[in-house]
């Protein structure tokens, strides 16, 4: 048997801590919050166009499908920022 070529992509945890157990620094949390706001603004501005791609496309912008949205892992950022807000 000959092994087949893999098409999987490895995501560096150093570039995106949202899906890891590592704690976010305050700066990383603020960057993720800003990216989340940008994702929401883009979704609202282009909603009709994004909807043409179906429900998964909308969920992609909401961060519930895939890892490319600024909202992906936003809960971790919000928990980090909660300390600053208190």
């Amino acid at each position: 048997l000959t092994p087949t070529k893999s098409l999987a992509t490895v995501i560096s945890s150093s570039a995106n801590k949202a899906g890891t157990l590592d704690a976010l620094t305050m700066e990383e949390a603020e960057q993720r919050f800003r990216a989340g706001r940008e994702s929401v603004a883009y979704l609202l501005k282009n909603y009709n166009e994004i909807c043409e791609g179906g429900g998964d496309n909308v969920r992609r912008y909401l961060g519930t499908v895939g890892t490319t949205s600024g909202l992906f892992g936003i809960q971790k950022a919000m928990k980090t920022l909660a300390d600053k807000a208190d």
Side-chain angles (χ1 to χ4, degrees):
L1 295 172
T2 305
T4 58
K5 196 179 207 181
S6 174
L7 300 176
T9 302
V10 176
I11 298 173
S12 170
S13 64
S14 63
N16 181 2
K17 289 186 180 179
T20 70
L21 296 177
D22 296 340
L24 294 176
T25 66
M26 192 62 69
E27 293 80 24
E28 290 168 331
E30 288 173 357
Q31 287 175 343
R32 182 149 298 279
F33 182 78
R34 285 187 202 101
R37 282 188 4 200
E38 289 174 13
S39 291
V40 169
Y42 185 85
L43 175 63
L44 292 173
K45 183 177 180 180
N46 300 289
Y47 188 75
N48 290 333
E49 179 184 332
I50 292 169
C51 281
E52 290 175 6
D56 277 347
N57 201 35
V58 173
R59 287 186 285 278
R60 195 164 285 111
Y61 282 88
L62 292 173
T64 60
V65 171
T67 60
T68 58
S69 171
L71 291 171
F72 175 72
I74 196 69
Q75 288 177 324
K76 181 185 268 189
M78 297 306 287
K79 286 180 183 177
T80 301
L81 293 172
D83 295 334
K84 185 177 180 179
D86 286 342

